[in-house]
């Protein structure tokens, strides 16, 4: 089954935020810190 | 410098991996993704007043972009620079159980204009047309293979282990480096339409094998013919592939790597000049002096 998500694409951060909101509990969303760890 | 970072980490239900974004100044931002999804995923971009210019670089399994009257399927090492008409919806399709890896650079041209303003008079017509469309009114698609040099820069972004200020500066620098290389390629190819020859996936794999040989066997002198034979390509295909993927010839690529290696050895080892020239596969004094001159310039 395909998961379809609509996102606002004015800024890249909003794309990731929209994706995160649509996927609800199945994600971590973080600003600037722990999740943004290059390399993974 | 203002940067905002966001990360979405996929967990069990949706797969494994991440989508990460970082915004820089002047309306520029990137999304970098590396994941294995358990479900097919379609991302539809809603219609907004702002219609950013996007440069999508695919590093792995095919990604499809669907518009109202277009369909672009990007395979590995293919890129798409696009900006659909403002009234047009667009959907990116990612396939489950296949590795999804891409970099997407977004440019809000209205904000980016401030950075470009002083250069407008000197820009090529192609670039000016592209960047002066501040609201993204005109539909635009440009699909091409990107160079392995860009591929290496994307890998540097993915493997960056810096943090905070240093990370932001590094990522912004690499993003602009990729943008510059890509736009150079774009303007050159626009002027040479006959050069748009597609490379087959098997050819790309063989060219990558040739690159691997060049890097691992720098101490051995190898001719273009011998290299082509080892990877199972003819000389002309190998040369054309290097031209397309690296914007350089095989010999120039070898020379550049030998110079880079010589630089590293000069700076970081106790080897003398003769030993270094052997390490980079040069045993002619005249040639080695030329290489070392380049390495120290």
């Amino acid at each position: 089954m395909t998961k379809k998500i609509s996102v606002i694409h004015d800024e890249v951060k909003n794309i990731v935020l929209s994706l995160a909101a649509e996927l609800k509990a199945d994600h971590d969303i973080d600003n600037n810190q722990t999740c943004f760890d290059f390399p993974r | 410098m203002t940067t905002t970072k966001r990360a979405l980490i996929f967990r069990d239900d949706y797969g494994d991996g991440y989508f990460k974004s970082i915004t820089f100044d002047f309306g520029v931002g990137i999304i970098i993704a590396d994941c294995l999804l358990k479900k097919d995923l379609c991302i539809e971009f809603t219609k907004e007043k702002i219609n950013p210019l996007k440069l999508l670089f695919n590093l792995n399994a095919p990604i499809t972009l669907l518009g109202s009257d277009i369909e672009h399927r990007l395979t590995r090492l293919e890129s798409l620079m696009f900006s659909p008409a403002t009234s047009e919806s667009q959907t990116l399709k990612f396939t489950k159980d296949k590795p999804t890896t891409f970099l997407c650079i977004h440019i809000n041209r209205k904000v980016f204009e401030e950075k470009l303003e002083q250069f407008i008079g000197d820009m090529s017509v192609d670039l000016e047309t592209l960047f002066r469309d501040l609201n993204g009114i005109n539909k635009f698609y440009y699909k091409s293979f990107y160079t392995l040099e860009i591929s290496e820069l994307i890998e540097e972004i993915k493997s960056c282990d810096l943090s905070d200020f240093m990370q932001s500066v590094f990522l912004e620098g690499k993003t602009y480096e990729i943008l510059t290389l890509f736009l150079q390629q774009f303007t050159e190819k626009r002027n040479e339409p006959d050069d748009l020859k597609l490379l087959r996936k098997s050819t790309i794999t063989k060219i990558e094998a040739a690159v691997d040989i060049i890097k691992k066997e720098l101490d051995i002198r190898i001719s273009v013919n011998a290299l082509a034979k080892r990877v199972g390509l003819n000389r002309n295909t190998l040369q054309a592939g290097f031209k397309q993927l690296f914007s350089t010839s095989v010999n120039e690529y070898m020379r550049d790597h030998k110079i880079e290696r010589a630089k590293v050895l000069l700076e970081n080892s106790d080897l003398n000049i003769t030993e270094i020239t052997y390490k980079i596969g040069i045993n002619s004094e005249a040639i080695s002096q030329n290489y070392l001159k380049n390495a120290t310039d």
Side-chain angles (χ1 to χ4, degrees):
Chain A
M1 193 182 134
T2 302
K3 178 76 182 169
K4 291 181 182 170
I5 295 174
S6 291
V7 300
I8 297 166
H9 71 136
D10 55 346
E11 283 192 51
V12 289
K13 67 179 181 186
N14 290 335
I15 294 175
V16 174
L17 281 174
S18 303
L19 276 171
E22 291 274 352
L23 295 174
K24 293 178 182 153
D26 299 289
H27 67 273
D28 287 333
I29 191 75
D30 191 29
N31 182 16
N32 288 335
Q33 294 300 325
T34 55
C35 286
F36 207 92
D37 49 352
F38 284 111
R40 186 159 55 97
Chain B
M1 185 171 67
T2 313
T3 57
T4 309
K5 303 165 196 166
R6 294 279 188 274
L8 185 160
I9 310 298
F10 290 104
R11 286 200 188 131
D12 298 341
D13 285 355
Y14 287 103
D16 181 38
Y18 61 79
F19 272 51
K20 294 176 180 179
S21 72
I22 179 163
T23 53
F24 308 114
D25 288 338
F26 298 107
V28 177
I30 59 170
I31 292 181
I32 186 146
D34 190 5
C35 53
L36 190 68
L37 300 167
K38 286 185 178 172
K39 294 175 183 172
D40 289 336
L41 177 64
C42 285
I43 301 176
E44 183 192 23
F45 296 106
T46 54
K47 296 167 192 168
E48 289 292 316
K49 283 181 184 169
I50 297 169
N51 191 16
L53 180 68
K54 301 184 190 75
L55 288 75
L56 178 64
F57 301 89
N58 187 14
L59 282 83
N60 237 320
I63 299 170
T64 306
L65 177 78
L66 293 166
S68 57
D69 58 354
I70 57 100
E71 178 172 338
H72 287 290
R73 186 172 184 271
L74 293 189
T75 57
R76 196 165 73 89
L77 287 179
E78 279 191 302
S79 58
L80 183 67
M81 178 157 64
F82 63 105
S83 170
T86 39
S87 57
E88 190 181 359
S89 70
Q90 45 183 317
T91 302
L92 277 175
K93 281 179 71 177
F94 305 98
T95 312
K96 68 176 180 180
D97 299 329
K98 290 184 178 171
T100 295
T101 315
F102 68 86
L103 170 78
C104 193
I105 301 176
H106 282 230
I107 302 170
N108 178 341
R109 285 168 283 190
K110 208 173 248 180
V111 183
F112 196 64
E113 191 194 21
E114 193 187 332
K115 194 175 185 74
L116 286 182
E117 209 168 11
Q118 60 180 308
F119 303 109
I120 288 294
D122 301 326
M123 287 171 81
S124 73
V125 176
D126 286 330
L127 289 186
E128 194 171 335
T129 307
L130 191 62
F131 284 100
R132 292 288 276 180
D133 185 9
L134 303 184
N135 294 309
I137 303 295
N138 301 317
K139 191 188 285 197
F140 178 85
Y141 293 95
Y142 172 72
K143 184 181 170 188
S144 70
F145 279 100
Y146 59 89
T147 64
L148 289 183
E149 199 178 353
I150 290 178
S151 175
E152 285 169 3
L153 287 166
I154 297 172
E155 287 301 328
E156 285 184 56
I157 287 180
K158 278 177 62 194
S159 59
C160 168
D161 57 1
L162 300 166
S163 57
D164 303 325
F165 165 74
M166 298 290 272
Q167 183 193 66
S168 295
V169 171
F170 180 87
L171 296 177
E172 185 168 16
K174 293 294 165 190
T175 299
Y176 275 108
E177 210 173 332
I178 292 168
L179 180 64
T180 309
L181 286 171
F182 184 82
L183 291 177
Q184 263 182 329
Q185 185 187 334
F186 165 69
T187 47
E188 281 167 15
K189 286 196 171 174
R190 294 279 275 200
N191 295 326
E192 298 171 30
D194 293 342
D195 197 34
L196 290 174
K197 202 167 91 179
L198 294 183
L199 291 176
R200 285 190 303 180
K201 194 175 176 183
S202 59
T203 306
I204 292 172
T205 306
K206 287 172 181 172
I207 291 168
E208 287 177 320
V211 167
D212 208 35
I213 290 170
I214 291 170
K215 287 182 176 174
K216 284 184 180 161
E217 301 180 16
L218 271 184
D219 57 331
I220 298 169
R221 288 185 69 186
I222 183 167
S223 69
V224 178
N225 278 336
L227 184 63
K229 198 172 176 184
R230 278 182 67 179
V231 297
L233 289 174
N234 71 45
R235 180 194 168 95
N236 290 342
T237 308
L238 186 68
Q239 287 285 26
F242 265 71
K243 189 76 188 162
Q244 193 158 349
L245 294 175
F246 292 106
S247 301
T248 186
S249 71
V250 177
N251 278 326
E252 283 168 348
Y253 186 89
M254 282 185 195
R255 185 204 59 197
D256 290 347
H257 271 271
K258 284 178 191 288
I259 291 170
E260 282 305 312
R261 182 70 183 144
K263 268 185 195 172
V264 172
L265 292 173
L266 276 171
E267 287 167 10
N268 303 312
S269 79
D270 296 327
L271 297 174
N272 63 38
I273 302 240
T274 309
E275 289 167 325
I276 289 174
T277 55
Y278 274 102
K279 286 270 182 197
I280 60 170
I282 306 294
N283 49 19
S284 149
E285 196 177 325
I287 295 173
S288 66
Q289 279 178 1
N290 188 30
Y291 271 69
L292 291 171
K293 183 180 179 303
N294 280 315
T296 51
D297 280 349

